[in-house]
Amino acid sequence: MTPFALRDPVYPADAAAIAQVRSAADPSWPVTAEGVRHEFESRDPDFFQTQVVAEQGGRVVGVGGIGHDSFSHEDWRYWGGLHVHPDARGQGVGTALYDELVRRVRGRGSREIRTMLSDLPHDAAGVEFLRKRGFAAKWERYESSLHTRDADLHAFDALMARVEAGGVRLKSLPELAGDPRRNRLLYELDWLLFQDVPMGLTLTRRSFEQWVKDELDDPSLRPELSFVAVDPTRNDPLTGPYVGYSTIGWNAAGNYAYIGMTGVRREDRGRGIAKALKVAAMRALHAAGGGEIKTFNDSPNRAMLGMNEQLGFRRTATRTRYELTLKEES
């Protein structure tokens, strides 16, 4: 068994090696070096984050990270994850990474650690790893997918016509690039919509600048497939005429699209706008050559789960949030 050593990663030099390890360990969500660099460079400086890599024979074989849960921040709660290349498993790499990450956050007064794994075969060993260390399953998120070649996109013609007849126009992000308020209006709309998503979390609001980094500057975002519902009759002081939106990202390493956020203001629900936004994205992707689309919804979100089924999405996996309460060391 070849010895390994832990060290802090160096960016951008280690980005490609980290992407390779993460992609091999989690083939359902592979990443690119560009994506890894963006994650590192766009981190919110107001929150603690730390990473460790395991190096064996001059090769990065494992990577782990942990930090404040900036999406639902409490100073004592941390979110983490680790990946070990399949070729290097069974040698204590995962244990060493885990112990080092926990040591670092214990020193900061951490009382709780959260992470997420799927029920897909490649995560089975990871789930057992967590259970042995006292993690408990607390929350489920369902993954569903469809391929545009299997979707009957004309089945929604009446829906699209009805939404348009109601005065709503679906505009892609590039089509709204000339609106100087676009980013600020979307920022306000995003905050309103996320507070209505049943995620089992108390959300922390990001700054406008951080939101733009995370969302609009994300290299995975496909602006031409991401749509905003615009109702010119609305003039909300925060969201203006924007009443809903849906974003599409592209996993370049996995060659599939994924839905980020889809939502509509409370006052405008029941008009078919959310479904129309998703259909617009599906049609745009089909026109661009087609492909698979994945979406992720928390288990209590019955309305969105039902809508996705109507659109043709089928359940492919369950992703479970695991939580560990750290006991005080004696």
Side-chain angles (χ1 to χ4, degrees):
M1 185 169 63
T2 305
F4 62 87
L6 303 186
R7 62 172 175 83
D8 290 346
V10 177
Y11 286 94
D14 286 327
I18 290 172
Q20 184 181 43
V21 169
R22 287 175 53 179
S23 298
D26 185 2
S28 69
W29 193 266
V31 294
T32 63
E34 180 186 21
V36 170
R37 286 198 305 272
H38 177 74
E39 288 176 8
F40 177 78
E41 293 168 358
S42 65
R43 294 185 305 174
D44 191 332
D46 291 337
F47 297 105
F48 172 80
Q49 299 283 337
T50 188
Q51 287 185 315
V52 187
V53 297
E55 195 171 53
Q56 186 179 55
R59 172 191 173 210
V60 174
V61 296
V63 58
I66 196 167
H68 279 136
D69 183 358
S70 59
F71 202 72
S72 178
H73 176 251
E74 294 285 353
D75 198 52
W76 45 268
R77 178 186 295 126
Y78 290 76
W79 185 278
L82 62 87
H83 299 85
V84 178
H85 195 286
D87 295 346
R89 292 176 182 169
Q91 302 179 54
V93 176
T95 296
L97 287 168
Y98 174 84
D99 289 345
E100 174 60 17
L101 293 172
V102 172
R103 184 191 68 80
R104 292 186 182 189
V105 296
R106 273 193 182 278
R108 298 181 55 85
S110 173
R111 302 202 307 269
E112 181 182 284
I113 296 175
R114 291 176 171 176
T115 192
M116 182 168 280
L117 285 176
S118 74
D119 60 355
L120 296 170
H122 64 262
D123 275 342
V127 171
E128 184 61 23
F129 183 94
L130 294 178
R131 287 176 175 160
K132 286 181 178 179
R133 285 156 180 80
F135 282 81
K138 294 293 185 178
W139 191 264
E140 289 186 342
R141 178 172 295 162
Y142 301 139
E143 173 185 322
S144 304
S145 72
L146 67 75
H147 198 288
T148 55
R149 66 170 176 251
D150 301 322
D152 181 2
L153 298 178
H154 292 295
F156 307 103
D157 288 349
L159 164 71
M160 303 302 278
R162 186 170 70 253
V163 169
E164 184 174 355
V168 174
R169 299 295 179 264
L170 305 183
K171 300 289 187 179
S172 69
L173 289 179
E175 289 178 308
L176 294 172
D179 184 349
R181 304 177 301 162
R182 185 195 72 173
N183 292 1
R184 177 64 70 170
L185 295 179
L186 286 176
Y187 169 69
E188 298 292 350
L189 181 60
D190 180 82
W191 177 240
L192 286 177
L193 299 182
F194 257 113
Q195 291 179 83
D196 284 344
V197 178
M199 302 176 68
L201 301 171
T202 300
L203 302 183
T204 299
R205 192 176 195 187
R206 292 169 285 183
S207 68
F208 171 68
E209 294 74 18
Q210 187 63 41
W211 181 85
V212 170
K213 284 183 185 179
D214 292 342
E215 305 297 333
L216 300 183
D217 292 343
D218 184 346
S220 299
L221 178 69
R222 290 286 297 270
E224 75 282 9
L225 305 181
S226 302
F227 288 84
V228 181
V230 182
D231 185 341
T233 67
R234 303 287 192 190
N235 189 24
D236 187 88
L238 292 178
T239 60
Y242 296 0
V243 299
Y245 84 113
S246 182
T247 60
I248 294 286
W250 184 260
N251 187 311
N255 197 35
Y256 59 78
Y258 59 91
I259 297 175
M261 173 60 173
T262 300
V264 174
R265 288 177 6 132
R266 293 179 186 177
E267 301 91 324
D268 294 284
R269 291 172 191 165
R271 302 168 64 187
I273 297 173
K275 185 184 290 187
L277 284 164
K278 291 196 175 190
V279 172
M282 291 161 60
R283 288 180 169 181
L285 177 58
H286 179 71
E292 181 185 12
I293 308 177
K294 295 187 179 185
T295 188
F296 304 86
N297 301 107
D298 297 278
S299 56
N301 199 348
R302 297 299 174 187
M304 193 60 73
L305 288 166
M307 180 190 301
N308 288 335
E309 288 181 5
Q310 294 169 16
L311 290 170
F313 284 87
R314 295 296 177 260
R315 187 85 54 83
T316 52
T318 297
R319 296 180 181 270
T320 301
R321 187 172 75 220
Y322 293 89
E323 299 178 6
L324 172 69
T325 300
L326 290 174
K327 299 177 182 179
E328 292 187 13
E329 294 182 305
S330 56

